[in-house]
Amino acid sequence: MRITALAGGVGGARFLRGLLHHLGTVPGQHEVTVVGNTADDITLHGLRVCPDLDTVMYTLGRGIHEGQGWGRADEHFTVAEEFAAYGEGPDWFTLGDRDLATHVVRTRLLGQGLTLSQVTARLAERWGLPGLGVRLLPMTDDRVETHVELSDVSQQGGLRAVHFQEWWVRMHAAVPARRILALGVETASPAPGVLEAIGTADVVLLPPSNPVVSIGTILGVPGVRDALRGTRAPVVGVSPIVGGAPVRGMADACLQAIGVETSAGAVAGLYRDFLAGWLVDTADADLSGGTGPVVRSRPLLMTDVDATAAIAADALRLAGELAAAAVA
C-alpha cells in the first residue's frame, strides 16, 4: 500500500507515528510518503530552521520531547544561555543544543548547494525514516515563509506584520490577525516527488494538522491541489477540530483570520474540491449524512500511540470503503 500524507507539526507527526504503529500490525509492505509544510520555516542566528519537518523526523525517530510535542528529548540549552549573555535574541524562540545541531547541518548543506529535498533526505537517514518505510519530502524546495498582518497598528500608524513564528510562539496568537500570508507560495514549485506521490498513491491522508498554516500552505503550492483533485486515490482527512475547538494549538485564531468557522464541517469545506472521506469526533457526529465527503465519527483524541493507531486504522478503513465503492 502506498500512502501519502500531507502533514504539519505536532498533530501530524503524532498521527503519523500512530499510522506506522498500525501498519506494523498489518501483513504486507507499505510505503509512506510525507509531504511536510515548510511555510513555518524561519532563519534564526543565521540558521535555517524547519519546525514541521523536524517535528516529524524527531517524532518518528523517537527523539522528540514528548511533553512538548516539539524539540528534542534530553535537551540542554548551553548555547541559548550564551546567546542571552551576549544579548542576542530572540528570547521567545529558544533552540536547544541538540536541536541546534540539526539546523547547523541543514544550513551548511544548503550553503553547499544542496536543495532542501536533498538535505531533508540526508537528515531523515540519521533518524532512520527510510528503515521505517517513510520518505519525508518538503512541500517545495523554494523559500516560503508565513507572515501575519496584525489587526493592531504600529506606532507609525501603519499596519504591522510579523513572522508567523513570532505571532504563534511569542504572542500565542492573542493579537487578532487581519491576514495570514504565505510569502512566495504562489511562485513556488512542488518539490521533486510530491506530485508523483499524490498521483500514484493508493490512499492520501490529511492528518489532524492546522488547516490554514499547515495543510493550507501545502495546498497553496501550485499543482498540489490539482494533483489531489486528479488522483485516483481516495483522499481521507482527520478533523483537527473537536466540538468546535482545536485539539491543540490556536487553529481557531487562524480560521478566524480567513473568515472560517471553527468547526469540523467548516474545515471539511476548505477541502471540498478533493476530499472523499472525513473522520470526525463523536462530538461532531451530526455531520454524518450530509452532502460532501463521506463522514464517519469516532473518538479523535490522540491520548497515546495505541489510541492514535486506532484512529489511523479507521481512516484507512474508510479509504478502503471509498476505493471499493469507486470500482463497484
Side-chain angles (χ1 to χ4, degrees):
M1 183 187 296
R2 290 167 294 187
I3 302 170
T4 296
L6 279 56
V10 178
R14 288 181 170 172
F15 177 85
L16 291 167
R17 181 170 60 183
L19 173 65
L20 294 183
H21 185 73
H22 166 67
L23 292 176
T25 68
V26 178
Q29 294 189 348
H30 310 280
E31 299 175 1
V32 179
T33 299
V34 180
V35 179
N37 169 48
T38 59
D40 290 2
D41 295 4
I42 188 172
T43 298
L44 296 169
H45 308 296
L47 302 175
R48 195 62 180 163
V49 181
C50 301
D52 284 2
L53 294 179
D54 293 344
T55 296
V56 171
M57 286 194 307
Y58 296 162
T59 300
L60 300 186
R62 299 185 179 183
I64 198 75
H65 187 299
E66 289 290 347
Q68 296 175 160
W70 49 269
R72 291 288 305 278
D74 302 319
E75 188 59 282
H76 303 279
F77 296 91
T78 304
V79 176
E81 292 167 2
E82 288 299 308
F83 281 142
Y86 281 112
E88 292 291 327
D91 58 4
W92 48 266
F93 200 111
T94 303
L95 299 174
D97 299 347
R98 295 177 184 273
D99 190 32
L100 199 64
T102 299
H103 312 316
V104 169
V105 173
R106 174 185 293 116
T107 305
R108 177 175 59 80
L109 294 175
L110 289 172
Q112 292 175 356
L114 275 68
T115 65
L116 183 58
S117 293
Q118 293 169 328
V119 173
T120 301
R122 188 87 63 90
L123 296 174
E125 288 180 8
R126 179 259 188 269
W127 290 101
L129 268 61
L132 298 173
V134 176
R135 179 174 55 151
L136 178 60
L137 304 177
M139 66 185 196
T140 179
D141 283 336
D142 300 314
R143 181 165 294 198
V144 177
E145 286 192 3
T146 301
H147 288 243
V148 180
E149 191 177 276
L150 303 177
S151 293
D152 66 343
V153 296
S154 68
Q155 293 180 350
Q156 290 75 32
L159 291 173
R160 185 160 66 103
V162 298
H163 192 285
F164 169 76
Q165 293 295 350
E166 183 173 357
W167 183 65
W168 195 255
V169 177
R170 185 175 76 82
M171 300 178 181
H172 301 287
V175 179
R178 288 170 53 93
R179 289 193 299 167
I180 296 177
L181 306 169
L183 303 181
V185 73
E186 293 179 354
T187 57
S189 299
V194 168
L195 299 185
E196 292 81 359
I198 295 171
T200 61
D202 298 307
V203 180
V204 176
L205 297 176
L206 304 184
S209 299
N210 190 304
V212 180
V213 296
S214 291
I215 302 296
T217 50
I218 298 173
L219 297 178
V221 177
V224 170
R225 198 164 200 125
D226 288 341
L228 288 166
R229 285 194 288 258
T231 184
R232 64 181 179 82
V235 181
V236 174
V238 180
S239 174
I241 305 298
V242 171
V247 176
R248 65 173 289 133
M250 292 81 72
D252 50 343
C254 299
L255 289 165
Q256 182 180 4
I258 65 170
V260 173
E261 177 187 62
T262 303
S263 70
V267 172
L270 296 174
Y271 312 141
R272 60 184 174 274
D273 52 327
F274 59 80
L275 188 67
W278 191 228
L279 210 59
V280 303
D281 191 81
T282 49
D284 302 301
D286 58 344
L287 285 176
S288 301
T291 59
V294 175
V295 178
R296 296 284 187 273
S297 62
R298 63 150 2 262
L300 287 186
L301 294 183
M302 298 187 291
T303 53
D304 56 33
V305 174
D306 288 335
T308 308
I311 296 170
D314 279 352
L316 291 178
R317 189 171 297 112
L318 176 55
E321 294 175 13
L322 293 167
V327 298

